[in-house]
Amino acid sequence: MVQPLYLRPRAEEPLASLLADGALLHSLADGLGSPLNVLAPQRAVDNAGAFLAVYRRHRLGGRVYFAHKANRSSALLRELAAAGPRIGADVASVAELSHALGCGFTADRIMATGPKDARFRWLAARVGATVNIDSPGELERLAALVRTCGFAPVPVVLRLSAFEEGRGSAGGVRLLARRSRFGTPAGEADALVAAAARHRDAVELTGIGYHLDTVGLDEKVRALERCVEVMDSCLAHGLHPRAVDVGGGFGVGYVEDAGEWDRWTTALTDAVRGARPPLTWRGHGYGLRHENGTVRGAAALYPAHRAVSGPAYLDELLRHTAPSFGRPAATLLLEHLHELHTEPGRALVDQCGLSLARVVEVRPAPGGDGERIVRLAANAGDISLEEHGVLVDPVLVPRGPGGAPPGEPAGVYLAGNLCLEADLLTRRKVFLPRLPRPGDLLAFVNTAGYAMDFRAHRAQMQPAARTVAVRRHGDGWRWCPDEDYWPAGGTDEDGAPQQERERRPEGERA
Amino acid sequence: MRYDSITEAIGNTPLVRIDPAVHGLRHIDLYAKLEMLNPFGSVKDRPAWHMARPLLAEAAATGRGTVVELSSGNTAKALALLAGMHGLGFKSVTNRMRVPEVKELLLLLGAEIEELPGRSECLDPTDTEDPLTRFHQALSEPGGSYLHTDQYYNPLNVEAHAAGTGPEIVADLDGKAPDWFVACVGTAGSSTGVAKVLRAQDPSVKVLGLVADKSDFIPGIRTIDEVHQVGLFDPGTYDTIEPVTSQEAIDGMLTLIRRCGILSGPTGGAAYHGAVRRLRRVDAGLGGDERRAAVFIVCDRAESYLSYVRARRPELLGAATRAAAPLTSPDDVPPREPVKVVEVAEAREWLGGAESRPLVVDLRGPHAYAALHIEGSVNIVDELFDELLRGGLPFSKSRPVLLACPVGEKSVRYAALLTRMGHPDVRSLAGGIVGWRDAGAPLVHE
């Protein structure tokens, strides 16, 4: 019998109930094929409510913008659009902008970020979405466009970066930071603000922001206080921006149990140094390597178990003391009368979706010691957790009535449907409570953030996953294709608007 | 004793027996090797000097060079002092420093500190440019003048203990090796070096290595995964490796401080706790007049770790005594205390009135006040206001007061407190400065 090294997923409602309803999942996959994405969009509204509850706890105004790039679902966007004025959409292409508008977001609730082409800029300016300015050149181009076309002044947020460069910094310590290709270096903020003032007939400066790719609170709170300083300097130009935009990166905990995560990562280190059999296909080390008895390198893995993530991480950031002001971040914002903008992606769709893959074949792994390869009707592009460094077990959903037949835990490799050596859904050996059989489903939990359609492709003409959206109906579920999903009041089912409770997040009631 | 250089005072530290009444082991003599008594304050003085000496001798001739090390603690401290003695700089590259006193001390010693960024949130598994790789590239750039002591890989780190710590222990135990040696594993230098000497003396010596509990943090100790990234670490050195939590480390530290007169830091506390925990099982199996000896290392002193203790056991630093203080904090005032709360329009009328001339006190931070405030207001930040109120009312009872904070929450509590202290006319601005602005009332930037 193998000693299983599980990384069992955290499954909250509604995913826990969906996973328990094997008959529903099998009938969906039978009808719509494998792979199949299942979304529960109303959970996203609850998540946004949890973020807004943190705002309320700290008495902060401002919006939560869903980073659309995390998932292209219409159902998600429509539910969020229906949920109230403090929830917005952060869009990163002209198609995402059109989609957000079509799903019911008004332009005042939309933020256009990222690299922008002329079409994207034009549509954002035309409808009056907030444009998140990436560089001085972009500000110039936008101002020229507004004047040429005679548009109303466009709200802009200035995105800053490189906060640590050229700064003696608090306490004489130089903080090293990852380079970013986005944003204007904080050292050049003065010139950018001056440009915004010069173009005040064409742009209205509404905020200063950043987005840092780090889980470190220290770096983020230092960037935040620098933004507050820049906000202050705007007053001298007669500009009155209202919001500090702290971007995203609040994180999701994928693995339920901290002990399982600790045991697995320790076992990986042991396997890399040869102290135990490999845990991975061809001894892959996830960035760790073995040199002269020593483990070198760093594991390129998402911290799959996170004690603090999502709204709780925002809460910690807001409680964190800003080093040069000596006040907690939330106090700093509130005292300066600033609002807060956030752009959670992954964290906003936490527990909103799962991806189903059908087991096609189970066979012995060559040279393996009783190991098996489980081939799925899906590939690594369809379920791209691994691509984002996220390691978490799928849930076995057995075929047929009566639950799982008895069996012993089994370590398996999950192979995809491409004719390609590298097409493994994960290079990790996955432990399941028993060996799957052809016809069973594997449900990958919590894939709505970046793991559903972000990397999906049509290589080898394999079918792309369909996406269905579900909502509760009595004791069971109603489902429809994602594109046909409309929030309460927007469907003609049963001949009358649905008698659902009004889905406004908690933070909206006041 | 007279020395020509402070470096001569490194080593020859005392071996002190722990009173059996404290540890309760019946058949085992437990000794503490007091490495905290090295001149720079820790066990790291030995390897720092051993590793740096050859590099310093070379560089002092040219007068240029910067000693660099990946250290956020005692090695950095010792190297900074040694570099300074030789007219050279010292740079420490570390993860975010987690003990503020240690960071401040390093700055006092003239060290330059670079902190590495936190982990990436939006992970790119193909990104190979991790900050440590960049650090090593910078070290080997041509024309560079870095002197890298490389404590995790440098055999001189082990050698320092094989030549010093180990033989000293044997000499102090009358030429015999102890039956057990207990060390916390950081660079693995002390455990590897001492174990080598002790086992040469007596191959049956058992070595207990202590690591930090995986999700925990003890200064100077690595977790079980991290030790495998240490070049000097050889699992064969240890008979047992056991984890210790930060709470256990503080427990051990308290015992050493309060019962043994040994002013140990948390690392020494971890060693004591781990040693006694393991040795109790050994002790239970011994009978009659069997005697065993065990040695653990007290790595450094307590003073630098007050904030570490405060974060984990605030009650040890008197955090719970505040309730006994007299009524001087707004948090102490019952919420039902009647307070005059005025809406923005009413407040504006009151402020504009000719006869009363109320004093407006803005409780926000000075930067926020400087950016925008109510004209004519005074800025007393809440923390300072707290202090002032401890001494009594800081303004005349004849002058009405309007308190303003960001949203009217703190000001209500302070208004209640001032009323309780006897001020006849103190009011709180409803909705605070935010409400004031949202009502379209003027704010000035002076």
Side-chain angles (χ1 to χ4, degrees), chain B residues 110-130:
Chain B
E112 186 190 336
I113 305 175
E114 284 189 357
E115 293 189 349
L116 300 169
R119 303 178 66 151
S120 170
E121 157 65 31
C122 191
L123 195 90
D124 174 5
T126 58
D127 183 12
T128 52
E129 197 207 42
D130 78 292

Side-chain angles (χ1 to χ4, degrees), chain A residues 121 131 133-148 156 158 184 191-203:
Chain A
R121 217 162 32 236
V131 177
I133 297 288
D134 197 39
S135 67
E138 184 171 272
L139 183 66
E140 297 297 329
R141 281 190 289 276
L142 179 67
L145 170 76
V146 170
R147 288 194 195 105
T148 312
V156 295
L158 306 179
T184 303
L192 190 61
V193 169
R198 209 163 53 238
H199 293 307
R200 76 180 75 212
D201 62 309
V203 298

Side-chain angles (χ1 to χ4, degrees), chain B residues 122-170:
Chain B
C122 191
L123 195 90
D124 174 5
T126 58
D127 183 12
T128 52
E129 197 207 42
D130 78 292
L132 269 186
T133 307
R134 258 196 290 162
F135 165 76
H136 284 108
Q137 282 165 352
L139 286 182
S140 49
E141 269 168 22
S145 58
Y146 284 127
L147 313 171
H148 184 203
T149 38
D150 201 9
Q151 62 167 340
Y152 292 102
Y153 288 86
N154 192 334
L156 289 175
N157 180 351
V158 175
E159 181 56 31
H161 295 287
T165 324
E168 289 170 26
I169 291 172
V170 173

Side-chain angles (χ1 to χ4, degrees), chain A residues 52 109 155 259 370:
Chain A
L52 286 173
R109 294 166 62 193

Side-chain angles (χ1 to χ4, degrees), chain A residues 163-164 175 210-227 244 246-251 306 313 317 320 322-323 329, chain B residues 96 119 121:
Chain A
F163 290 92
E164 312 295 1
L175 296 168
Y210 65 85
H211 174 84
L212 296 184
D213 176 22
T214 175
V215 299
L217 286 171
D218 290 322
E219 290 155 87
K220 286 187 173 174
V221 83
R222 287 166 56 81
L224 186 149
E225 69 176 0
R226 191 71 192 276
C227 288
V244 172
V246 303
F250 302 99
R306 291 183 69 163
Y313 181 92
L317 174 66
H320 210 71
Chain B
R96 301 292 160 175
R119 303 178 66 151
E121 157 65 31

Side-chain angles (χ1 to χ4, degrees), chain A residues 59 171-178 213-216 218-219 232 235-236 240 242 249-251 261-263 265-266 269-270 273 288 293-303 306 324-327 331 334-338 346 386-389, chain B residues 91 93 96 103 107 111-127 130-131 134 136 153 214-215 224-225 228-233 235 363-368 371-372 381-383 406-407 409-410 433-434 437-438 443 445:
Chain A
R59 308 287 177 260
V173 175
R174 198 159 81 85
L175 296 168
L176 306 176
R178 250 173 231 100
D213 176 22
T214 175
V215 299
D218 290 322
E219 290 155 87
D232 280 355
L235 294 168
H240 291 88
R242 302 262 302 223
F250 302 99
W261 178 246
D262 284 353
R263 274 191 293 283
T265 44
T266 296
T269 309
D270 287 346
R273 67 188 178 89
L288 297 178
T294 300
V295 176
R296 290 271 200 176
L301 292 175
Y302 188 88
R306 291 183 69 163
S324 37
F325 286 89
R327 310 277 274 175
T331 306
L334 192 60
E335 287 186 339
H336 284 258
L337 319 180
H338 298 333
R346 194 194 296 266
E386 176 99 346
E387 184 68 37
H388 293 273
Chain B
K91 177 157 102 174
V93 180
R96 301 292 160 175
K103 182 194 272 190
L107 292 169
E112 186 190 336
I113 305 175
E114 284 189 357
E115 293 189 349
L116 300 169
R119 303 178 66 151
S120 170
E121 157 65 31
C122 191
L123 195 90
D124 174 5
T126 58
D127 183 12
D130 78 292
R134 258 196 290 162
H136 284 108
Y153 288 86
K214 193 160 164 178
S215 52
I224 187 66
D225 289 359
H228 294 297
Q229 298 169 6
V230 175
L232 302 177
F233 178 79
L363 298 165
R364 297 175 301 150
H367 289 90
L372 282 174
V381 62
D382 51 13
E383 294 158 0
V407 290
E409 244 177 17
K410 273 184 192 157
I433 306 287
V434 171
R437 179 199 60 186
D438 291 349
L443 290 169
H445 175 69

